[in-house]
Amino acid sequence: MTSNTEQVLAFVRGQILRGERQPGERISEASIAGEMGISRTPARTALAALEAEGLIGKRQGRGYTVRSISISDVTKTVEVRATLEALAARTLAGHGMSTEVEQTLLRSIETTQDLLERDTDEARGIDFIGGYTDANILFHETIMRNCGNELIAHTYERIAMLPYAALGTLAFERADFKRERMRLTVGHSQHVIIFDALRQGDAQRAEAIMREHSSATLNYTDLFVKKDFSGTGCDNQS
């Protein structure tokens, strides 16, 4: 997929996850292209991918409709994916990484680090989310496909097309770029820790951090909203 396509995927996934696009709401390539300031081609490709994920359904004629997605079902899907990714990380740590796998994971980490180190204005001016998405997918797929137990990847394929099951799936809110970059910085840091555990052969740590990391799409969605963490649980109004 092109980077513009991945931007649309991350953007619309995030809207659906946050409830900003309601079930039954119409969505079209023209409206998405206009909203995001891109051509219709990446919008068309992204909407077809979202249909395959089960987030939207094709209307008679033109356009799509947002499907009714059960948060309970999504949670179950993410839990299963997290379990499989955690097992893959544990298995890879136990078997050891090949030089090729190690270099691929390092390349992914170096890419996300380079993107996150750019200042806000510079990051806004480049294809930040597209570049991050490519590197994120590379990291997750490399571990899943090269863990040393092909049955783990085979089992994952049974859920691969369910909503939010895709490896490296991102949701991104363009309206709050700084907050979203903070969230992705946490994800990058977890990649670094996972990689270190894999290199050290620490199967238990690799498994634990990957399980936490793979659940982040749901668990971290609201965590980085500005809040008062003093224990009141209320938004910070200052």
Side-chain angles (χ1 to χ4, degrees):
M1 291 185 184
T2 66
S3 55
N4 277 344
T5 298
E6 288 167 344
Q7 287 187 58
V8 177
L9 283 170
F11 180 56
V12 179
R13 277 196 200 106
Q15 289 182 321
I16 295 174
L17 181 62
R18 294 187 297 270
E20 294 170 9
R21 290 189 181 272
Q22 296 297 313
E25 179 180 339
R26 184 173 180 177
I27 182 171
S28 68
E29 64 187 59
S31 63
I32 290 295
E35 186 175 352
M36 298 192 67
I38 60 174
S39 69
R40 288 195 178 191
T41 299
R44 183 183 309 119
T45 304
L47 290 178
L50 289 167
E51 180 188 17
E53 291 181 15
L55 296 179
I56 60 177
K58 196 78 171 65
R59 293 171 58 92
Q60 288 187 346
R62 295 183 177 181
Y64 296 85
T65 300
V66 177
R67 294 183 59 189
S68 177
I69 304 297
S70 165
I71 295 299
S72 174
D73 288 344
V74 171
T75 299
K76 292 174 184 176
T77 299
V78 172
E79 286 176 348
V80 173
R81 184 192 66 188
T83 297
L84 292 172
E85 288 206 85
L87 179 58
R90 180 184 183 89
T91 304
L92 180 57
H95 288 178
M97 293 185 290
S98 68
T99 299
E100 181 180 1
V101 167
E102 182 173 354
Q103 291 302 312
T104 300
L105 294 178
L106 272 174
R107 185 167 72 251
S108 167
I109 290 170
E110 288 168 356
T111 298
T112 52
Q113 180 171 332
D114 175 69
L115 289 166
L116 291 166
E117 285 180 346
R118 297 170 184 260
D119 63 42
T120 301
D121 290 338
E122 183 182 9
R124 287 181 184 275
I126 62 173
D127 183 13
F128 176 86
I129 189 61
Y132 193 101
T133 298
D134 285 341
N136 194 49
I137 291 172
L138 179 64
F139 186 89
H140 286 266
E141 289 193 344
T142 298
I143 293 174
M144 178 64 74
R145 309 300 179 192
N146 298 278
C147 69
N149 183 343
E150 66 278 5
L151 289 179
I152 298 174
H154 177 72
T155 303
Y156 164 73
E157 292 300 332
R158 300 291 297 274
I159 67 163
M161 297 310 294
L162 294 175
Y164 299 101
L167 297 172
T169 295
L170 292 179
F172 194 84
E173 185 179 359
R174 296 197 307 164
D176 199 337
F177 187 90
K178 288 184 178 180
R179 187 195 75 185
E180 293 293 84
R181 187 166 70 168
M182 181 188 301
R183 183 170 58 84
L184 295 182
T185 299
V186 173
H188 163 77
S189 299
Q190 289 173 329
H191 281 194
V192 172
I193 296 169
I194 292 166
F195 176 76
D196 181 65
L198 294 173
R199 188 160 51 181
Q200 298 296 329
D202 189 339
Q204 184 174 357
R205 184 161 63 117
E207 179 182 25
I209 301 301
M210 179 59 91
R211 187 183 301 276
E212 169 72 17
H213 176 68
S214 187
S215 302
T217 302
L218 290 179
N219 294 347
Y220 294 2
T221 300
D222 297 322
L223 189 59
F224 291 90
V225 177
K226 189 175 182 182
K227 294 180 178 179
D228 177 3
F229 289 101
S230 63
T232 63
C234 298
D235 290 344
N236 187 340
Q237 300 296 325
S238 61

